[in-house]
Amino acid sequence: MQDEPLPTRRRARLLPTILGRLALSAALGLAILAGLVWGGIIVVPRHLNPFAPLRVADEVNWLTRIKLSRLERSGPQCLGVLAESDVSYRPVSDREDRDGCGLSNAVEVTEASRALSGNFTASCPLAVAWALFDRHVVGPSARRHLRQDVARVVHFGTYACRNINHRAEGRRSEHATANAIDLAGFVLADGQQITVRADWTGSDPRRAAFLRDVRDGACGFFDVVLSPDYNEAHHDHFHFDMGAYRACR
């Protein structure tokens, strides 16, 4: 058998070096580009600028979730984003109750772009996620499937010092820090009521499609979204939270 030709062996040895140089050049180019964007020399639309703070009114894209996640590490920035949204709110004092329950950087939400069945207390990141959901999912989904808007959102609340599924033992629920909300249904502009309990598997396919569209859209903003497809405990509501895990079911 003949030996491998010398030029072929040389190319094989040089290939890692060439690839390394290409990778270094690409990284350097990206760093220069990022610096130009950061310095404002290259102007990029806000919603496409990874350095621009989140704004609820901006067009949603893959950067939205990245910007939303940053708010969990910056209370003042989170409140600043909320202040520019459609959410009406007032700050809530921090408090530590017991055994992993309590509030930190929380607000009381009284209204968003549509009415609520009642005020709710939420961590700031949850409130911002709600503002995004309310603006970019609820209204568009209703108009798409039901040809009208939603006038009011009905929820089961947020804060509850308890474990997951109300178990006596186990991990604390995200509700224990007002980092979760349970959504039960909607009241349309013409007064019709749509509920998860009655319409998820109800006889009207438009209502069922609307609820599934709402569930799927919520997954773009909340870390955990649970529906009746998850288990029987959620037969009458959606669970949304901003916890450490990811689920969309």
Side-chain angles (χ1 to χ4, degrees):
M1 186 174 69
Q2 291 183 338
D3 291 337
E4 185 180 9
L6 182 60
T8 302
R9 294 201 301 271
R10 184 176 299 150
R11 285 197 297 268
R13 289 197 301 269
L14 289 175
L15 185 58
T17 302
I18 294 172
L19 292 177
R21 289 176 178 174
L22 288 174
L24 181 61
S25 297
L28 182 60
L30 287 174
I32 292 173
L33 179 61
L36 294 174
V37 172
W38 176 267
I41 298 173
I42 295 179
V43 179
V44 177
R46 280 184 57 94
H47 67 286
L48 297 176
N49 186 346
F51 304 110
L54 175 66
R55 188 167 61 186
V56 171
D58 284 346
E59 180 182 333
V60 173
N61 58 38
W62 64 275
L63 285 170
T64 304
R65 189 167 193 95
I66 294 175
K67 294 181 179 183
L68 179 58
S69 67
R70 293 174 187 163
L71 302 183
E72 298 179 18
R73 302 186 295 272
S74 176
Q77 183 182 10
C78 185
L79 291 174
V81 172
L82 202 58
E84 294 185 349
S85 74
D86 294 327
V87 170
S88 298
Y89 69 96
R90 46 182 171 264
V92 174
S93 299
D94 290 356
R95 86 166 179 260
E96 183 176 351
D97 288 350
R98 63 186 188 280
D99 300 331
C101 295
L103 302 174
S104 176
N105 192 35
V107 296
E108 182 182 6
V109 176
T110 58
E111 194 175 39
S113 63
R114 47 192 46 81
L116 300 168
S117 58
N119 298 354
F120 63 79
T121 300
S123 66
C124 184
L126 179 70
V128 172
W130 180 268
L132 288 161
F133 166 74
D134 179 69
R135 183 183 183 94
H136 297 286
V137 175
V138 176
S141 295
R143 291 188 289 271
R144 182 161 49 249
H145 294 284
L146 305 169
R147 301 295 185 266
Q148 60 178 304
D149 205 348
V150 169
R152 187 162 62 101
V153 180
V154 181
H155 65 85
F156 285 160
T158 53
Y159 180 75
C161 184
R162 63 173 176 82
N163 294 335
I164 294 175
N165 293 332
H166 300 272
R167 295 170 182 158
E169 303 292 335
R171 183 164 54 88
R172 282 299 193 195
S173 166
E174 292 297 325
H175 285 287
T177 53
N179 206 29
I181 185 169
D182 292 337
L183 191 158
F186 306 88
V187 179
L188 302 181
D190 67 359
Q192 293 184 68
Q193 296 187 36
I194 296 180
T195 66
V196 176
R197 176 194 290 271
D199 297 304
W200 185 258
T201 55
S203 59
D204 190 333
R206 299 173 306 156
R207 292 182 170 217
F210 163 67
L211 288 174
R212 281 162 177 76
D213 205 18
V214 165
R215 187 269 311 273
D216 294 345
C219 294
F221 304 119
F222 299 97
D223 290 333
V224 171
V225 174
L226 302 178
S227 72
D229 283 349
Y230 179 59
N231 62 15
E232 177 60 23
H234 296 84
H235 73 282
D236 62 351
H237 70 278
F238 296 141
H239 169 93
F240 302 155
D241 77 48
M242 298 299 287
Y245 300 93
R246 289 297 306 275
C248 177
R249 298 181 62 181

